[in-house]
Amino acid sequence: MSVLLFGVSHRSAPVEVLERIAVSDHERPKLVDELLSSRAISEAMLVSTCNRVEIYAVVDAFHPALEAVGNVVGEHSGMTINDLTSHAYVRYSEAAVEHLFTVAAGLDSLVVGEQQILGQIRNAYLDADSNHSTGRVLHELAQQALRVGKRVHTETGIDRAGASVVSVALHRAQYLLAGASGSSDEPAMRSAVVVGAGAMGGLATAHLAREGVRSMVVVNRTVANAEHLAGNITANHGIEVRGVGFDDLPAVMADADVVVACTGSVGSVIGVGDVHSALAARGTAGNAGKPLVICDLGLPRNVDPAAARLPGVHVVDIAGLRGMAEAKAAEDDTLAARSIVAGELADYLTAQRQAEVTPTVAALRQRAADVVEAEILRLETKLPGLDDPQRDEVAKAVRRVVDKLLHAPTVRVKQLASTPNGDHYAEALRELFELKPGAAEAVSAPESGLAESGHLAQSGLAESGHLTQSGLAESGHLTQPGLAESGDRGITASEQAEQ
């Protein structure tokens, strides 16, 4: 069994495509069940954030599994295979592991170093676990990825500024408001509206409070949830916060300097009419002539794109945050984080490869034990006069000889398993001692790991660049820059050219 990754992220696709592929929390179990209906897929985990949708699957055959994943994603998004090939990327075996570790470390985020992705990976794993769609492989992989992410954030300064999509968006809003006022004495953001009372809403309200906002309104479909979040912010930060429903949205926007929209809704929750009504009321609210900055952090987008064309309105969205200097961590911290990821990847792959040889070693020792027992029985028939102490001493002597003969090769084959092509040594043992693979697995089935040993060249992945009969990867489009350092970790040769 090997790990297959199929993903679309802010690096490979525009926001419009991400919106179509986005998977809500209530849709995730259904899609995972559809993935598991394929005979080629035994485990599956789906990570869906405002910047990425990634499927991690444990598969026993690359091409059928990739085709199954492509069909599920295509049906969900309404996109054709050709559309998907233009924006998706695929990783397999050790390259899939490397990618997940990189994502968990915050190195592949829109805002490099942000920590929200750790919680999102954890939630994806917990959902998969509760849905019984994970087994040993994804359990170990997800747990190790979370440990890698925590280590990176603990041992490097990659997140020392507390960067997140929210913080970068609010810094952009401050810049726009300060430029409009021309004054550095007054805080640029005095009042704010946060649309959404979920995790992102909580993060936005906390950031706004730390930025010195004096009053805030939380808007949510369920007013009780908005009031609960408002009460927490008031208690923790000592500022005026209240919770209201969507009926009050235009009125509270009229009083606001900045609006942060971060709901999980599908489709716009702030329409052009809402913004137009708010602008019309700004004169009576004392904000006449002052711009309204709306930070749209939802995926799909929470704000009707047409709102950005209204005079006096600035919309800061995820697409606009790409490439901003604030979103990039310091180079030294990034290099340190990548070094940690590389070391953890090597350790993980070594452990997996050593685990893969364990069934063969166990089968060899069992074969030796069977031979010893057979010879002891043969000895008893030839020398029936041996008493029990003599028989026991002979048996112990034979077993010691066998154990000593097997000790060096079995220890050495485990060591060699972690080297390139290390699986060949276990294969040689099976051939030399006529060990059947099924027998090895039966002796130590729980010890099986990534059966392909991470050697992509062995699986014929990139034969002419065609990854499936359905054409899911007819070119280097199914790649993502900066993740695979060499051709035998990526899918096609064109990936290196992209780097």
Side-chain angles (χ1 to χ4, degrees):
M1 294 291 181
S2 294
V3 179
L4 169 70
L5 159 66
F6 180 97
V8 178
S9 78
H10 64 98
R11 292 185 182 273
S12 66
V15 171
E16 293 78 11
V17 172
L18 288 172
E19 287 179 320
R20 295 180 65 179
I21 298 179
V23 179
S24 64
D25 289 342
H26 75 271
E27 292 174 318
R28 180 154 43 192
K30 175 178 177 292
L31 262 66
V32 170
D33 287 342
E34 291 176 0
L35 291 168
L36 292 177
S37 67
S38 168
R39 296 177 61 182
I41 299 174
S42 58
E43 302 177 36
M45 179 178 76
L46 195 157
V47 179
S48 181
T49 76
C50 62
N51 292 314
R52 73 181 63 248
V53 175
E54 294 183 343
I55 292 170
Y56 294 86
V58 177
V59 306
D60 59 9
F62 177 82
H63 293 90
L66 182 56
E67 187 168 5
V69 172
N71 289 338
V72 170
V73 176
E75 183 177 349
H76 167 73
S77 63
M79 298 176 67
T80 66
I81 294 299
N82 287 336
D83 290 336
L84 287 174
T85 58
S86 300
H87 304 290
Y89 48 89
V90 169
R91 296 289 182 271
Y92 189 63
S93 200
E94 69 179 58
V97 175
E98 179 185 25
H99 180 85
L100 182 57
F101 286 5
T102 301
V103 170
L107 291 168
D108 194 56
S109 297
L110 176 63
V111 180
V112 175
E114 58 96 4
Q115 295 192 54
Q116 285 174 262
I117 188 62
L118 268 180
Q120 291 160 338
I121 292 174
R122 183 181 296 107
N123 289 340
Y125 166 71
L126 292 175
D127 283 354
D129 188 51
S130 65
N131 198 42
H132 306 293
S133 65
T134 60
R136 175 179 173 177
V137 176
L138 282 186
H139 169 75
E140 291 184 352
L141 177 59
Q143 294 298 321
Q144 186 63 27
L146 293 172
R147 285 192 287 269
V148 170
K150 290 178 182 177
R151 185 183 166 201
V152 166
H153 290 291
T154 299
E155 298 181 17
T156 73
I158 198 169
D159 60 346
R160 65 182 56 177
S164 70
V165 172
V166 174
S167 64
V168 175
L170 291 179
H171 288 164
R172 178 63 178 166
Q174 279 184 321
Y175 172 80
L176 293 170
L177 290 168
S181 67
S183 171
S184 59
D185 297 331
E186 277 291 313
M189 295 189 299
R190 294 170 298 179
S191 60
V193 172
V194 175
V195 183
M200 284 287 283
L203 186 63
T205 53
H207 270 289
L208 287 163
R210 287 195 293 268
E211 293 292 341
V213 170
R214 297 170 184 173
S215 65
M216 202 183 313
V217 180
V218 179
V219 182
N220 200 61
R221 294 193 189 281
T222 305
V223 178
N225 292 344
E227 291 175 339
H228 178 72
L229 177 56
N232 288 341
I233 296 300
T234 298
N236 293 330
H237 298 278
I239 63 174
E240 178 189 348
V241 188
R242 59 193 178 96
V244 301
F246 270 93
D247 290 342
D248 296 317
L249 179 59
V252 297
M253 287 173 61
D255 294 325
D257 295 317
V258 62
V259 177
V260 180
C262 47
T263 77
S265 300
V266 177
S268 300
V269 295
I270 300 179
V272 175
D274 297 320
V275 180
H276 193 275
S277 298
L279 292 176
R282 286 175 80 78
T284 59
N287 286 336
K290 188 171 184 180
L292 173 63
V293 179
I294 304 175
C295 299
D296 184 359
L297 305 182
L299 190 70
R301 282 177 286 202
N302 289 170
V303 181
D304 189 329
R309 295 195 290 270
L310 294 175
V313 176
H314 299 280
V315 176
V316 178
D317 59 14
I318 290 173
L321 297 178
R322 294 179 178 177
M324 288 181 59
E326 294 172 274
K328 298 179 181 179
E331 183 177 356
D332 289 347
D333 292 322
T334 300
L335 291 175
R338 291 194 182 281
S339 176
I340 290 174
V341 168
E344 292 285 353
L345 175 66
D347 291 344
Y348 175 86
L349 295 176
T350 295
Q352 291 296 316
R353 290 167 182 166
Q354 289 177 342
E356 288 163 16
V357 79
T358 298
T360 298
V361 171
L364 176 60
R365 288 191 172 277
Q366 185 61 52
R367 169 64 63 83
D370 293 342
V371 170
V372 168
E373 292 304 318
E375 289 302 315
I376 295 298
L377 288 175
R378 181 170 173 272
L379 181 66
E380 289 177 350
T381 58
K382 286 196 170 185
L383 299 174
L386 288 177
D387 56 26
D388 289 343
Q390 291 173 325
R391 186 183 300 107
D392 291 343
E393 193 60 39
V394 170
K396 289 178 182 177
V398 174
R399 290 191 182 100
R400 281 196 300 270
V401 170
V402 171
D403 287 342
K404 288 181 179 180
L405 286 173
L406 291 181
H407 177 73
T410 54
V411 170
R412 186 62 179 147
V413 78
K414 287 184 178 180
Q415 294 172 341
L416 292 171
S418 62
T419 63
N421 298 321
D423 56 324
H424 292 178
Y425 296 99
E427 184 179 345
L429 274 183
R430 291 192 293 268
E431 184 69 24
L432 289 171
F433 291 93
E434 297 182 337
L435 303 174
K436 296 180 180 178
E441 293 168 3
V443 171
S444 186
E447 296 295 331
S448 62
L450 295 175
E452 299 297 328
S453 302
H455 298 293
L456 305 188
Q458 303 298 321
S459 56
L461 290 184
E463 298 173 3
S464 304
H466 299 287
L467 300 190
T468 69
Q469 290 86 358
S470 61
L472 265 178
E474 294 179 351
S475 67
H477 292 301
L478 290 188
T479 62
Q480 183 170 349
L483 292 180
E485 297 300 325
S486 63
D488 58 351
R489 284 191 178 178
I491 299 301
T492 64
S494 62
E495 180 175 1
Q496 287 195 359
E498 291 181 7
Q499 297 180 44

